[in-house]
């Protein structure tokens, strides 16, 4: 199977599975507990039908949107995700370059493997910085200050991960950073020698956003332990309000799911929220961002920008979210599988296909621009 054999989300997933050692593939692929929410994220889109309009004279289609003060050429952005250089040695460098080529926003994670400063210097496309609220308040302030000095315009605080989700696939393989694998996990690495060769012959793995503040070299820090031991479960709305004031710019909460919390975010000065259940990796059995989108847009859509992520695999999924009022839609596994499959070339192919689907589907809907989409385009089953 080659990159040219990849024509949709599922093809990229299959190629990624062939190229990655099992523990790393399962880290991307897995969710919490019984993975019900992971599956529901995509299934939710199937409960809504598109109602196309005809004879609208659609020749040119404008896919651009503005969200969080950033003009994007596409109504999708590349959500911040951790550990990208484990999936492909290019990591965030490939993601950022592809995002710039397509004129959209990308995110850098606190657990990113390329520094936000480097990416901000190299790329003019909008960049958001996603960070977690640590017990060490000085670390929180330092990370925000570093983002500001780097010229990043959008701060994105993840609020659904004050403790780690129960990701049983990782427990079975022993997946951790640095690697401390079970015997079964080591055997799966041995079966993918090309991945190991690339890992050993390229830049040493690091977490530059954290390395200056946390010594991770002498311990086996699992992702679950990072969330459980280093993040602060006592975080409150007062803490976030202070960060919003200190940042003084576009500030987004990622992981909002209730109307009450969306209203509170608007009240403390947030300019955006992302409806998200962390890709089904935290609270299994929770609602999906798409399920909650309509009621939250109706409640606060005139006060801040509402975005969503989770389970997006097709252009039609994006159109359904835009029709309900989402300002933009975040892609996660959609581009991670493509990154794992072929680096920058894979991400660019995935985005090329997404753009083609959006253009074709907009024409079939009779919509010249995103502004032409609305609830009248949808019927719930």
């Amino acid at each position: 199977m080659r990159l040219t054999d990849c024509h949709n989300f599922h093809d990229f997933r299959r190629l990624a599975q062939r190229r990655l050692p099992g523990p790393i593939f399962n880290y991307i692929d897995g969710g919490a507990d019984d993975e019900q929410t992971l599956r529901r994220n995509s299934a939710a889109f199937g409960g809504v039908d598109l109602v196309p309009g005809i004879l609208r004279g659609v020749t040119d289609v404008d896919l651009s949107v503005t969200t969080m003060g950033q003009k994007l050429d596409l109504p999708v952005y590349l959500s911040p995700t951790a550990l990208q250089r484990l999936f492909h040695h290019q990591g965030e460098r490939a993601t950022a370059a592809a995002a710039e080529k397509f004129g959209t926003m990308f995110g850098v994670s606190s657990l990113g493997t390329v520094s936000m400063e480097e990416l901000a210097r190299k790329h003019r496309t909008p960049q958001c910085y996603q960070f977690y609220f640590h017990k060490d308040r000085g670390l929180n302030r330092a990370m925000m200050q570093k983002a500001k000095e780097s010229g990043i315009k959008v701060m994105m605080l993840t609020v659904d991960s004050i403790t780690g989700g129960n990701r049983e696939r990782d427990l079975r393989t022993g997946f951790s950073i640095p690697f401390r694998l079970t015997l079964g996990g080591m055997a799966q690495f041995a079966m993918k020698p090309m991945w190991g060769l690339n890992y050993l012959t390229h830049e040493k793995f690091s977490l530059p956003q954290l390395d200056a503040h946390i010594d991770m070299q002498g311990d086996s820090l699992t992702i679950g332990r990072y969330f459980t031991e280093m993040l602060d479960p006592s975080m409150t709305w007062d803490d976030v309000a202070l960060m919003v004031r200190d940042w003084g710019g576009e500030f987004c909460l990622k992981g909002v799911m209730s109307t009450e919390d969306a209203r509170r975010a608007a009240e403390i000065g947030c300019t955006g929220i992302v409806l998200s259940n962390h890709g089904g990796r935290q609270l299994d059995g929770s609602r999906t961002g798409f399920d909650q989108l309509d009621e939250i847009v109706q409640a606060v859509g005139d006060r801040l920008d509402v975005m969503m992520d989770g389970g997006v695999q097709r252009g039609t999924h994006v159109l359904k979210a835009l029709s309900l009022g989402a300002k933009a839609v975040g892609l996660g596994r959609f581009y991670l599988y493509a990154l794992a499959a072929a680096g920058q070339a894979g991400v660019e192919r995935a985005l090329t296909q997404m753009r083609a689907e959006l253009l074709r589907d907009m024409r079939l809907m009779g919509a010249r621009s995103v502004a032409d989409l609305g609830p009248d385009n949808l019927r719930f089953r």
Side-chain angles (χ1 to χ4, degrees):
M1 185 178 188
R2 301 178 180 179
L3 182 60
T4 52
D5 297 320
C6 293
H7 302 287
N8 59 38
F9 172 91
H10 303 287
D11 292 337
F12 285 111
R13 179 182 178 276
R14 281 191 290 272
L15 186 53
Q17 188 172 18
R18 292 187 179 197
R19 296 191 171 179
L20 289 178
I24 295 180
F25 175 78
N26 280 297
Y27 172 74
I28 301 175
D29 198 59
D33 294 345
D34 297 315
E35 301 187 347
Q36 294 179 6
T37 296
L38 170 62
R39 293 188 293 272
R40 173 64 189 168
N41 276 344
S42 294
F45 294 102
V48 183
D49 297 325
L50 291 166
V51 181
I54 62 171
L55 301 177
R56 305 292 174 84
V58 180
T59 303
D60 297 322
V61 175
D62 180 8
L63 293 175
S64 67
V65 296
T66 298
T67 186
M68 303 289 292
Q70 314 305 306
K71 177 70 178 296
L72 311 182
D73 292 342
L74 295 176
V76 295
Y77 62 93
L78 305 186
S79 294
T81 57
L83 310 181
Q84 290 187 27
R85 280 203 293 119
L86 284 186
F87 316 144
H88 189 278
H89 64 269
Q90 293 175 334
E92 290 88 349
R93 295 184 179 101
T95 300
E100 182 172 45
K101 183 173 181 177
F102 286 81
T104 195
M105 182 168 67
F106 70 96
V108 176
S109 169
S110 293
L111 290 168
T113 56
V114 177
S115 75
M116 56 182 164
E117 302 100 304
E118 175 190 328
L119 297 174
R121 285 195 307 270
K122 287 184 175 179
H123 304 286
R124 291 175 292 177
T125 193
Q127 176 177 340
C128 65
Y129 176 52
Q130 173 271 331
F131 77 112
Y132 297 104
F133 191 80
H134 298 85
K135 294 177 181 177
D136 183 347
R137 300 300 199 270
L139 173 56
N140 294 330
R141 290 191 294 271
M143 295 175 86
M144 289 181 62
Q145 182 60 33
K146 182 65 72 173
K148 190 173 294 187
E149 292 171 357
S150 299
I152 293 170
K153 304 300 183 185
V154 179
M155 181 59 65
M156 183 177 285
L157 174 64
T158 294
V159 292
D160 62 0
S161 303
I162 58 174
T163 190
N166 180 37
R167 303 173 192 175
E168 293 175 357
R169 296 202 208 185
D170 296 345
L171 296 176
R172 292 189 184 97
T173 65
F175 179 83
S176 63
I177 301 297
F179 293 132
R180 296 291 188 275
L181 298 169
T182 64
L183 287 175
M186 287 189 285
Q188 292 183 58
F189 273 80
M191 294 168 62
K192 302 293 172 67
M194 283 304 300
W195 179 92
L197 182 64
N198 277 323
Y199 182 77
L200 293 173
T201 57
H202 288 87
E203 177 186 356
K204 183 179 178 182
F205 180 85
S206 65
L207 299 173
Q209 272 68 256
L210 294 178
D211 283 348
H213 309 282
I214 300 172
D215 180 11
M216 295 176 58
Q217 302 306 311
D219 191 13
S220 173
L221 180 66
T222 67
I223 301 304
R225 280 190 53 224
Y226 169 80
F227 286 120
T228 302
E229 297 180 13
M230 295 188 177
L231 304 190
D232 192 350
S234 69
M235 176 174 56
T236 68
W237 284 104
D238 290 339
D239 294 317
V240 178
L242 180 60
M243 285 189 285
V244 171
R245 289 195 295 271
D246 288 346
W247 179 249
E250 299 287 346
F251 198 103
C252 176
L253 293 188
K254 182 177 183 292
V256 174
M257 290 297 285
S258 76
T259 301
E260 177 184 357
D261 288 342
R263 289 195 178 102
R264 192 69 182 273
E267 289 169 1
I268 66 169
C270 293
T271 54
I273 56 176
V274 180
L275 311 188
S276 175
N277 54 40
H278 215 89
R281 298 162 71 82
Q282 288 296 101
L283 178 64
D284 198 27
S286 67
R287 292 275 280 178
T288 77
F290 184 71
D291 285 331
Q292 291 295 91
L293 182 56
D294 186 34
E295 65 180 75
I296 290 179
V297 167
Q298 291 189 43
V300 299
D302 60 341
R303 301 172 64 186
L304 45 66
D305 287 347
V306 180
M307 296 161 282
M308 63 80 56
D309 66 26
V312 177
Q313 299 179 3
R314 285 288 189 185
T316 49
H317 294 172
V318 175
L319 295 193
K320 290 175 182 181
L322 297 174
S323 296
L324 288 179
K327 293 293 185 180
V329 175
L331 305 176
R333 289 181 178 90
F334 180 90
Y335 78 85
L336 286 183
Y337 291 134
L339 173 67
Q344 183 177 339
V347 181
E348 289 184 1
R349 183 172 175 86
L351 286 175
T352 295
Q353 291 172 357
M354 172 59 76
R355 182 171 60 186
E357 287 190 19
L358 289 168
L359 288 169
R360 179 173 59 248
D361 295 340
M362 288 282 282
R363 289 191 174 99
L364 292 172
M365 287 294 296
R368 299 182 187 87
S369 70
V370 172
D372 291 337
L373 299 172
D376 288 345
N377 299 136
L378 305 179
R379 294 295 184 274
F380 287 80
R381 294 184 182 178

